[in-house]
Amino acid sequence: MSTAPESHMPAPSVERFATRDSRADSIFKGVFGLCALLVLLVLTGAALAMLWGGREAFAKFGWKFLVSSDWNAVTHEFGALVPIYGTLVTALIAMIIAIPVSFGIALFLTEVAPSWMRTPVGAAVELLAGIPSIIYGMWGLFVFAPFMAENIDPWLDEHLGSVPYIGALFSGPPLGLGMLTAGIVLGIMVIPFISSVMRDVFQTVPSRLKESAYALGSTRWEVVWHVILPYTRSAVIGGIFLGLGRALGETMAVTFVLGNAHELSASLLMPGNSIAATIANEFTEADSEIYLSSLIALGFLLFVVTFIVLALAKLMLMRLSQREGNR
Amino acid sequence: MLTTRKSSFLIAAVAAIIVASTFGASAYATDITGAGSTFVYPVLSKWSAAYNEKTGDKVNYQSIGSGGGIAQIKAGTVDFGASDAPLSSEDLTKFGMGQFPIVSGGIVPAVNVPGIPDGQLKLTGAVLGDIYLGKIKTWNDPAIAALNPGMTLPSSRITVVHRSDGSGTTYNFANYLSKVSPEWKDKVGFGTSVAWPAGVGGKGNEGVAAYVRQIKGSIGYVEYAYALQNKISYALIENAAGKYVKPSIDSFAAAAATADWGSVKDFNLVITNAAGEDAFPIAAVTWIIMYKAPKNAEHSKAAMAFFKWSLENGQEQAKSLEYVPLPKPLVDRIESYWTSEFKG
């Protein structure tokens, strides 16, 4: 090729620089545009492939696939209600636990902790994020589930099981496995993700804002609530949804502690199933076309569920910023 | 790029020369490929190592599950498939395939009942079916007490544990329940995964075993070899002749021997609830599935030679892994099936 070293050329004219620059610009634009386009292509490609793979199930069961709680490989009746319910409930429990705890961790690390403590504890939190999910699953199965079975489940059953309305959520045999256990394990898994994002954005709050608030006599809590949180709100919510996305799609850890039973039960102490766990469990031995198709259709539904949840989040963010504008 | 490609080609060429010169007698060593059942993987790999030493032929087996193995052999991407559930004769004819058993094993009900010693609790098939249907809910239920006179049974709740993944173990266990419990046959039936009326699901033998160990008052089912290696306590099940037979290589072999192989085509017979006096009630076999007129005849022939060698000479290796070699009359039957069905 004819790319001679240009530094040795005698005084190149301005036009040549300009054409070279504009060529470089267009190449730059093209390459990075392609990168961005690739994401879209992969995304739609994956969604379409799953829709195509699941077409048989959608054609056979129609919209009933969404509301049926059947899952019978012998009679070839499949429905996605139990896995969808399990996925949403475990993710919800996880978020109920993870959001306040992550908030506390991030706040402690940025505002309260002495400075010698911040770096090691922050690094430890980030290390937690690197633990493979199967390790959480094994810990959940061998350590946490027996603990739940012996201490937490009987207590819940005894004290909350007979309370009207919420009683149904907490009654059942103390198996130690089930949606509550899975939700808690998931919560522990996503805490490092959410808290490290929160910590990073809390650090970006300019100290003059905080110092002004302190100077006006604000307490630490008032500074957090009225200065830090409003300043970082969208990034905080972004971090929460990063964690939520992970909780919705988590497979191995959930499979270990969820109980994997295709049964719809109100009680959080009972075993359930999630979309990702069902696919992981049953894919290898799905021996009929419609079975395999139903599993792929489940994958597509996970895609749809995640998309809906994230879209709702974006909508919420937009609403919030609009209100902000009106104030 | 070019140099790495060149050098890897060189390495391959050198390797080929070495292989060819080592096994001078069988000038070309054949790579036999297979896929399927995870259950037979340990014994197949042991056999293939020994066979490789002897003949130079190599068996590459991917233990991806029976369903996957059937799909792969149908697609013709492997030389043989291995499945814990038999294919029907219609299916086999449709694809021009044949199947035959290769090895046998057993499934035991693992129990965790505080205060009951290992291997003492007795159950009939019907009672086991009612437990798995969720109809018998406590260990001191009259139906269980009647089978175990003089045993103090706890009043604790029974938690049923089953496999969460599709599995040949489930296929054979549910098949057994279908044979002994009409209600099970009606409501649930059998397959590599079924719609369980009750209980929790563990992934793999190890998942079921872990749940049984942890949940007091639970009952599950695992492969015998797994139960033995992990010292899991089991219950006895009454066999078709009305006897309580301990799980052992002998009682599994008795099941394989007394099963009525003459009554079916293509060995399409699940050997649960076999008739023999000493037969263990929940015994199982794994089938090999192959094309009768394969695309790659040479590979198929090599695979057939491997299975012949394994059936005739692999008994000790199988036993050392707690598998049950097939009894002599059955091996004879398989070999005559080969000569009549797999021509050429």
Side-chain angles (χ1 to χ4, degrees):
Chain A
M1 286 226 258
S2 60
T3 44
E6 262 155 273
S7 52
H8 294 296
M9 289 193 134
S13 62
V14 179
E15 291 93 71
R16 285 196 55 190
F17 269 128
T19 45
R20 204 186 58 181
D21 278 359
S22 78
R23 197 189 324 134
D25 266 358
S26 62
I27 291 173
F28 179 85
K29 212 171 148 186
V31 165
F32 286 88
L34 263 182
C35 290
L37 205 67
L38 198 66
V39 174
L40 274 182
L41 275 179
V42 167
L43 199 69
T44 44
L48 286 178
M50 280 190 285
L51 188 61
W52 180 248
R55 70 191 185 282
E56 220 176 303
F58 287 123
K60 185 173 175 201
F61 304 116
W63 59 273
K64 275 207 186 113
F65 190 69
L66 292 176
V67 293
S68 161
S69 60
D70 282 341
W71 192 269
N72 191 332
V74 180
T75 59
H76 299 312
E77 290 295 325
F78 299 102
L81 186 62
V82 175
I84 291 177
Y85 175 76
T87 304
L88 290 176
V89 168
T90 49
L92 184 72
I93 297 171
M95 295 327 277
I96 290 173
I97 293 163
I99 293 172
V101 174
S102 308
F103 183 63
I105 291 174
L107 217 64
F108 178 78
L109 287 180
T110 52
E111 302 300 319
V112 184
S115 50
W116 59 266
M117 215 175 144
R118 294 181 186 186
T119 321
V121 175
V125 169
E126 269 156 23
L127 263 181
L128 267 183
I131 295 178
S133 63
I134 186 119
I135 304 295
Y136 282 102
M138 289 170 77
W139 172 80
L141 177 60
F142 291 119
V143 181
F144 189 60
F147 172 78
M148 288 288 287
E150 271 162 39
N151 304 303
I152 310 290
D153 286 1
W155 187 90
L156 285 174
D157 192 23
E158 197 178 318
H159 291 86
L160 298 175
S162 50
V163 177
Y165 302 114
I166 64 160
L169 288 177
F170 298 107
S171 58
L175 295 177
L177 309 162
M179 292 193 276
L180 184 63
T181 311
I184 294 173
V185 171
L186 268 183
I188 296 168
M189 285 182 68
V190 298
I191 282 173
F193 288 90
I194 303 180
S195 60
S196 62
V197 171
M198 282 188 180
R199 186 192 58 146
D200 288 349
V201 297
F202 285 176
Q203 277 170 345
T204 64
V205 179
S207 17
R208 64 190 145 87
L209 285 185
K210 290 189 277 182
E211 277 157 14
S212 318
Y214 281 125
L216 290 171
S218 300
T219 62
R220 212 171 245 167
W221 178 252
E222 281 167 340
V223 171
V224 168
W225 199 248
H226 295 298
V227 178
I228 295 180
L229 259 190
Y231 189 85
T232 58
R233 196 185 44 223
S234 62
V236 164
I237 293 178
I240 288 174
F241 280 93
L242 188 72
L244 179 59
R246 191 174 157 84
L248 284 171
E250 176 50 42
T251 312
M252 269 342 276
V254 174
T255 306
F256 271 62
V257 292
L258 187 53
N260 305 308
H262 277 288
E263 251 171 296
L264 203 59
S265 59
S267 172
L268 299 179
L269 305 186
M270 293 296 280
N273 222 333
S274 83
I275 294 177
T278 304
I279 297 174
N281 269 319
E282 305 185 16
F283 195 69
T284 45
E285 293 279 342
D287 47 7
S288 63
E289 302 267 312
I290 188 74
Y291 194 178
L292 195 62
S293 176
S294 300
L295 285 173
I296 298 173
L298 267 189
F300 179 72
L301 287 180
L302 180 59
F303 203 85
V304 173
V305 166
T306 314
F307 182 78
I308 290 175
V309 167
L310 292 183
L312 282 179
K314 275 270 178 289
L315 219 72
M316 216 168 79
L317 258 181
M318 271 161 59
R319 276 278 180 78
L320 273 174
S321 46
Q322 258 174 10
R323 256 211 334 236
E324 194 77 353
N326 291 341
R327 233 197 303 187
Chain B
M1 257 270 255
L2 204 70
T3 47
T4 46
R5 204 187 262 173
K6 241 186 203 162
S7 66
S8 69
F9 177 74
L10 211 77
I11 289 168
V14 168
I17 290 164
I18 290 170
V19 168
S21 57
T22 326
F23 307 107
S26 60
Y28 303 101
T30 319
D31 262 358
I32 307 161
T33 54
S37 158
T38 48
F39 170 68
V40 295
Y41 175 64
V43 69
L44 268 186
S45 50
K46 193 153 193 175
W47 280 341
S48 87
Y51 190 66
N52 179 251
E53 257 172 43
K54 234 177 135 269
T55 65
D57 281 6
K58 249 175 117 177
V59 179
N60 289 315
Y61 184 73
Q62 310 154 18
S63 62
I64 54 172
S66 301
I70 292 172
Q72 296 250 311
I73 183 70
K74 276 184 181 166
T77 49
V78 290
D79 300 320
F80 69 91
S83 169
D84 298 332
L87 286 180
S88 68
S89 280
E90 296 95 74
D91 257 12
L92 288 171
T93 332
K94 199 171 109 196
F95 285 92
M97 298 192 292
Q99 74 184 358
F100 53 88
I102 189 70
V103 76
S104 154
I107 296 157
V108 294
V111 290
N112 174 358
V113 194
I116 305 282
D118 184 17
Q120 300 290 308
L121 187 74
K122 291 175 176 173
L123 300 169
T124 60
V127 166
L128 188 64
D130 281 350
I131 290 175
Y132 266 85
L133 280 166
K135 283 167 71 186
I136 293 179
K137 288 181 162 40
T138 55
W139 283 108
N140 60 359
D141 190 281
I144 301 176
L147 298 171
N148 298 281
M151 198 180 272
T152 17
L153 292 157
S155 61
S156 57
R157 187 169 19 208
I158 300 178
T159 300
V160 168
V161 183
H162 53 76
R163 288 281 287 266
S164 63
D165 47 339
S167 134
T169 315
T170 297
Y171 180 89
N172 286 291
F173 185 75
N175 176 278
Y176 172 69
L177 292 183
S178 297
K179 282 182 182 162
V180 293
S181 160
E183 193 178 344
W184 181 273
K185 193 177 176 188
D186 274 0
K187 283 190 178 161
V188 185
F190 62 94
T192 50
S193 57
V194 299
W196 297 97
V200 295
K203 187 165 166 54
N205 279 305
E206 58 283 2
V208 171
Y211 282 3
V212 169
R213 230 181 260 137
Q214 274 172 23
I215 303 172
K216 286 198 181 75
S218 61
I219 182 167
Y221 59 93
V222 290
E223 277 156 21
Y224 172 64
Y226 189 85
L228 200 70
Q229 283 150 15
N230 294 279
K231 300 189 177 59
I232 293 162
S233 51
Y234 55 85
L236 296 176
I237 306 284
E238 188 188 48
N239 69 8
K243 282 180 127 185
Y244 290 93
V245 184
K246 275 208 156 58
S248 70
I249 288 184
D250 294 335
S251 63
F252 301 147
T258 58
D260 190 8
W261 293 103
S263 69
V264 293
K265 249 187 96 191
D266 296 318
F267 300 96
N268 182 9
L269 178 72
V270 182
I271 62 167
T272 54
N273 210 28
E277 282 257 312
D278 307 316
F280 188 75
I282 325 180
V285 300
T286 299
W287 287 264
I288 299 293
I289 302 162
M290 288 174 69
Y291 275 105
K292 287 178 182 171
K295 271 184 254 162
N296 193 332
E298 190 194 326
H299 275 204
S300 258
K301 219 168 159 187
M304 210 57 116
F306 166 64
F307 292 128
K308 187 174 161 65
W309 177 87
S310 304
L311 283 176
E312 287 170 1
N313 307 299
Q315 287 96 338
E316 286 315 309
Q317 279 112 323
K319 275 187 187 163
S320 71
L321 293 171
E322 308 298 338
Y323 286 87
V324 186
L326 300 181
K328 184 80 175 65
L330 182 55
V331 172
D332 292 342
R333 195 182 278 279
I334 293 168
E335 290 185 347
S336 72
Y337 176 78
W338 288 345
T339 41
S340 68
E341 299 288 328
F342 289 83
K343 289 166 190 142

